Amino acid sequence: MEKKRFDIKDPITYEIFKHRLWSICERSHYTLSRVSGSPIVIDAHEYLSGIHKADGEAVMVTSGVVLHIVGMERAIKKINEWWKDEEGGISDGDQFLVNDPFVAGIHATDMGITKPVFYKGKIIAWVGSLFHTPAVPAAMNPGGMCPDAINAYQEGLRSQALKIVEKGVQRSDIMRTLTANTHDPFLLGLDHVAKIAANNTASDEIVKMVENFGIEYVEEAFDRIIEETEEICRKKLKELPDGVWRSILYQDTTGREVKPIKIQCTLTKKGDKIKFDYTGTDPQQQGSYECAEPGALGHLFVVLATQLFWDAPWGSGILKSIDFHFPKGSLLNVDFPMPVSNAPLVITSENVAHQCIVKMFYADEKYRMLDGKIYKEGEM
């Protein structure tokens, strides 16, 4: 018989629960670093480990590169959509590989593997592991960063929820096909095994947590964490001045041609509502220094998590607190099959958002304080 559920209103139990989630994420990415031999994980710390609700919303993530939260959340939502009517469906022990940047990521090298967590025959959560894997199958350039690409087909395999593990058993046909189409099969294989192992670590711990706290408590707490995050963000927005701020910056190349390319952001803030509008950004180019829409939102999330809502937990609640617009057919929302393998270098989209946020903060005296002194415009 399932243990009696704790009271969600008890603050001590709730804080213990949140710290338990955090420790599960930490154990997951520790597993990544111990299994993978990749310097990207061990030295650069570019990885993501996260816990998501059954519908895909991110409850809590730990990461060296927070932009990947968008990709993993969207990947899980797509897996739920694609596999619900497929033969075999989603079973306990399955794991899915997703790296299509037009669906759920930045570029094809960001290969994520995600796993449903079952309890008594029901999906109660998802866990995911993602990091940059340079051995992209069938990419035109080693490393998967293809500046000369003129379309997405040249940038390598784009997996749309391959079931790489089925009912707890790694599918040798899928792994064999993936490794046979890359210049470094050992690296690719070990990277995927590391993600699978990390997901197993996290899912086992979540099941133990459910057995301890009870399924009702866990589901209520997942919702509460996301709601609290949104509340933290909206409270901060209410304290900031209303207004409209703009920023324009330029890249110097498309990847194939050296020329200035404009990225523009307009931030509009009123009350507890804020919108980042990238209207005015140049149209998509024949080059890979541009983003599909999930990649652009990932870039924006970095600024939100580190510079605007730095005191909020990393999760879906941050995204729920904002509006955004990336014009279709622009550098930040390209049409398929435009190339996007160098999308991480479109960091200018982060910089313009950052500048808008800085201008908003500067409009409030308390954010102009340095060493206890309020500096007026022109004095700093």
Side-chain angles (χ1 to χ4, degrees):
M1 180 179 293
E2 188 173 298
K3 291 183 179 181
K4 184 179 179 181
R5 172 172 74 86
F6 292 100
D7 186 354
I8 194 68
K9 296 180 181 179
D10 176 16
I12 297 176
T13 303
Y14 181 59
E15 287 301 317
I16 291 172
F17 178 87
K18 288 196 295 183
H19 282 277
R20 179 76 178 272
L21 282 185
W22 182 265
S23 70
I24 291 173
C25 288
E26 291 291 296
R27 286 194 63 183
S28 177
H29 81 65
Y30 178 77
T31 303
L32 281 179
S33 65
R34 301 303 295 174
V35 178
S36 172
S38 173
I40 293 172
V41 175
I42 297 170
D43 299 319
H45 302 288
E46 185 194 338
Y47 46 70
L48 175 112
S49 299
I51 299 171
H52 300 249
K53 289 173 53 181
D55 65 2
E57 287 190 344
V59 178
M60 185 174 293
V61 301
T62 57
S63 173
V65 183
V66 296
L67 57 83
H68 295 313
I69 184 177
V70 174
M72 188 57 70
E73 179 174 301
R74 292 194 173 193
I76 295 169
K77 290 181 177 181
K78 278 297 184 181
I79 293 168
N80 281 328
E81 174 188 336
W82 288 333
W83 277 90
K84 66 179 180 180
D85 297 324
E86 289 289 331
E87 183 177 354
I90 302 172
S91 300
D92 193 359
D94 289 350
Q95 299 203 38
F96 301 86
L97 171 67
V98 178
N99 76 319
D100 187 341
F102 290 87
V103 173
I106 306 296
H107 54 170
T109 57
D110 292 331
M111 297 187 181
I113 296 180
T114 184
K115 178 184 180 181
V117 182
F118 278 78
Y119 184 71
K120 294 186 176 180
K122 173 187 174 183
I123 297 177
I124 58 168
W126 287 79
V127 293
S129 299
L130 182 152
F131 59 83
H132 181 107
T133 300
V136 181
M140 66 180 291
N141 296 118
M145 307 284 280
C146 310
D148 290 335
I150 60 173
N151 59 60
Y153 303 114
Q154 297 175 312
E155 297 177 324
L157 172 77
R158 292 175 293 107
S159 170
Q160 297 194 345
L162 281 175
K163 190 181 285 190
I164 196 168
V165 177
E166 187 167 17
K167 297 181 180 179
V169 179
Q170 183 177 299
R171 290 190 57 178
S172 58
D173 57 337
I174 297 296
M175 190 68 80
R176 186 167 57 246
T177 300
L178 293 173
T179 55
N181 284 278
T182 178
H183 67 284
D184 196 337
F186 180 77
L187 175 62
L188 180 66
L190 188 59
D191 277 2
H192 286 343
V193 168
K195 296 165 194 170
I196 292 168
N199 288 343
N200 288 337
T201 297
S203 62
D204 289 347
E205 290 298 315
I206 289 175
V207 170
K208 292 177 184 178
M209 187 173 65
V210 172
E211 291 173 344
N212 183 29
F213 287 89
I215 183 61
E216 290 184 21
Y217 186 93
V218 170
E219 292 178 338
E220 286 184 16
F222 280 177
D223 288 334
R224 181 175 172 181
I225 291 170
I226 294 174
E227 291 167 2
E228 281 188 346
T229 300
E230 182 178 0
E231 290 171 3
I232 290 170
C233 295
R234 293 198 181 277
K235 181 181 178 182
K236 173 164 285 187
L237 290 175
K238 286 182 180 179
E239 297 172 352
L240 292 167
D242 293 342
V244 179
W245 296 271
R246 295 183 180 87
S247 180
I248 297 174
L249 293 173
Y250 292 86
Q251 296 176 195
D252 59 5
T253 182
T254 68
R256 295 175 57 84
E257 181 181 1
V258 176
K259 67 176 185 180
I261 307 170
K262 182 175 70 171
I263 293 182
Q264 178 173 326
C265 179
T266 301
L267 185 158
T268 303
K269 188 269 173 182
K270 184 175 182 180
D272 67 347
K273 300 184 184 300
I274 192 168
K275 182 175 182 178
F276 295 83
D277 187 349
Y278 285 83
T279 298
T281 296
D282 277 352
Q284 60 195 22
Q285 308 285 319
Q286 279 297 333
S288 60
Y289 285 66
E290 52 195 4
C291 292
E293 196 259 3
L297 183 56
H299 278 301
L300 177 58
F301 185 85
V302 173
V303 184
L304 298 174
T306 60
Q307 296 166 340
L308 182 55
F309 305 127
W310 65 83
D311 50 354
W314 294 340
S316 291
I318 289 178
L319 293 175
K320 288 176 177 290
S321 69
I322 69 158
D323 291 319
F324 55 88
H325 175 61
F326 303 103
K328 186 64 175 172
S330 72
L331 288 170
L332 301 180
N333 190 359
V334 302
D335 297 314
F336 181 81
M338 296 297 289
V340 295
S341 59
N342 280 288
L345 302 181
V346 192
I347 198 170
T348 313
S349 60
E350 295 182 27
N351 294 340
V352 288
H354 165 68
Q355 288 193 353
C356 288
I357 291 169
V358 168
K359 292 174 182 179
M360 177 176 60
F361 278 137
Y362 192 79
D364 190 328
E365 283 191 346
K366 70 179 179 181
Y367 290 101
R368 298 204 301 271
M369 291 187 66
L370 184 63
D371 297 328
K373 178 181 178 182
I374 296 177
Y375 285 78
K376 297 180 180 179
E377 188 171 357
E379 291 183 345
M380 296 183 71

